[in-house]
Structure formats: structure tokens, C-alpha cells
Amino acid sequence: MTLGKFIRSTALCLTLGVLASAGQAATVTTTFAVNTTISSVCVVSTASTGLTFATYDPTASSDTLGTTTFKVQCTSGLSYTVGLSAGGSTTDTARTMSSGANRLNYSLYSDSGRATNWGASTGALTGTGSGLTTENTITVYGKIPKNQYTPGVGSYSDSITATITY
């Protein structure tokens, strides 16, 4: 083979090799992280009717009882506490409703047996969120003790704030 044929053959092979490799796809890969943080969130609904006791009779032989409910929705797995304020009273262990200058004692409880006074921290209800699409129904149990003879005739009221801490 002559030097000229050798150079032409080599050039042809190199050209075909370059053209062949140009037709092949090359692949390069990388990885990356995908992250997020889920916020701690709770939503509370207003009690639909409030806690409205039946008409109080001071001479009745039993306490006057009532209940109300509201709903709490929290991020799944989130621990929360529900506390109830003292309302217009100075302490949540001696709540009073008022009608002008008149006062009528009542209590709020976290249990149906009305044994655990429900305050802002003492007796506060605890729970764990089930997700924001799941409502946890919270029941407030109220009691007006019997034998309160001194309050005058009238409509009595108080306003309680439920605080959800998470």
C-alpha cells in the first residue's frame, strides 16, 4: 500500500468513525433533593348555638345542665390543648353569668360527669390532630348549681373564649 492510499484510508475511517459517533446520543445524569416542611396549623369553628341552658329555677332539686360543641382541625399528628377563659369572672373555677348587677354561678367541664373543671390551663382538654380535613368535635359540658336563691329575674349571659394552643 502506498503512503497516499494509507492516508486516504485512515482519513476515511476517521471520518466514518466521527459520523457514526455523532449519531449516538450521550447521557449524563444528576440527582437532586425534593423537600418541604408541613406547617403546624389548627383551625377552630365557632360553636353553632353557644351553650344555652334551660330556664333556671332556683327552687329545683337538681342542677341545670347544658352542652355545646365546636370543632377543631389540626395538622395530622399535631398535639394541641384547648383552654377555656374565665369569661367575665376573675377565675375559671368560679364563673358567673350576669344580668346587670346580678350574678348567677355556673361551671364548665371537659367531661360528661362534670367532674373536671375546664379552665384556661387547669383541666384543659388535649388532643392530637387528624389532618385538616378531619374535624375533631369538642364538647363543653355546663352546669348551673341548684339552690342559688339570690339572683334576680332576667336574662343572664357570659362570653367564653376557647384558646387552641399547639
Side-chain angles (χ1 to χ4, degrees), residues 92-115:
D92 55 35
T93 57
R95 290 182 175 98
T96 59
M97 290 182 273
S98 61
S99 176
N102 297 316
R103 302 285 181 262
L104 182 64
N105 298 323
Y106 77 100
S107 297
L108 299 176
Y109 301 92
S110 58
D111 63 306
S112 61
R114 292 169 175 81

Side-chain angles (χ1 to χ4, degrees), residues 51 53 64-70 84 95 106-118 125 137-144:
L51 198 163
F53 290 102
T64 302
L65 307 178
T67 62
T68 191
T69 62
F70 58 92
L84 300 181
R95 290 182 175 98
Y106 77 100
S107 297
L108 299 176
Y109 301 92
S110 58
D111 63 306
S112 61
R114 292 169 175 81
T116 305
N117 183 70
W118 194 342
L125 186 75
T137 300
I138 309 295
T139 302
V140 180
Y141 301 90
K143 176 175 79 175
I144 301 173

Side-chain angles (χ1 to χ4, degrees), residues 140-166:
V140 180
Y141 301 90
K143 176 175 79 175
I144 301 173
K146 62 183 176 184
N147 302 327
Q148 295 185 61
Y149 300 116
T150 56
V153 173
S155 294
Y156 288 75
S157 65
D158 195 10
S159 181
I160 299 295
T161 301
T163 302
I164 315 304
T165 304
Y166 56 94

Side-chain angles (χ1 to χ4, degrees), residues 1-134:
M1 178 183 302
T2 66
L3 183 58
K5 280 186 177 183
F6 175 76
I7 292 175
R8 281 191 300 260
S9 294
T10 304
L12 179 60
C13 287
L14 288 174
T15 302
L16 290 175
V18 168
L19 290 175
S21 66
Q24 295 178 354
T27 305
V28 178
T29 63
T30 188
T31 59
F32 58 91
V34 177
N35 301 300
T36 191
T37 301
I38 296 180
S39 301
S40 298
V41 176
C42 285
V43 179
V44 63
S45 67
T46 304
S48 57
T49 59
L51 198 163
T52 302
F53 290 102
T55 300
Y56 181 73
D57 178 356
T59 63
S61 60
S62 60
D63 300 327
T64 302
L65 307 178
T67 62
T68 191
T69 62
F70 58 92
K71 301 190 185 308
V72 175
Q73 297 164 270
C74 292
T75 307
S76 184
L78 181 66
S79 296
Y80 62 87
T81 303
V82 181
L84 300 181
S85 71
S89 305
T90 57
T91 176
D92 55 35
T93 57
R95 290 182 175 98
T96 59
M97 290 182 273
S98 61
S99 176
N102 297 316
R103 302 285 181 262
L104 182 64
N105 298 323
Y106 77 100
S107 297
L108 299 176
Y109 301 92
S110 58
D111 63 306
S112 61
R114 292 169 175 81
T116 305
N117 183 70
W118 194 342
S121 58
T122 304
L125 186 75
T126 59
T128 303
S130 302
L132 293 174
T133 59
T134 303

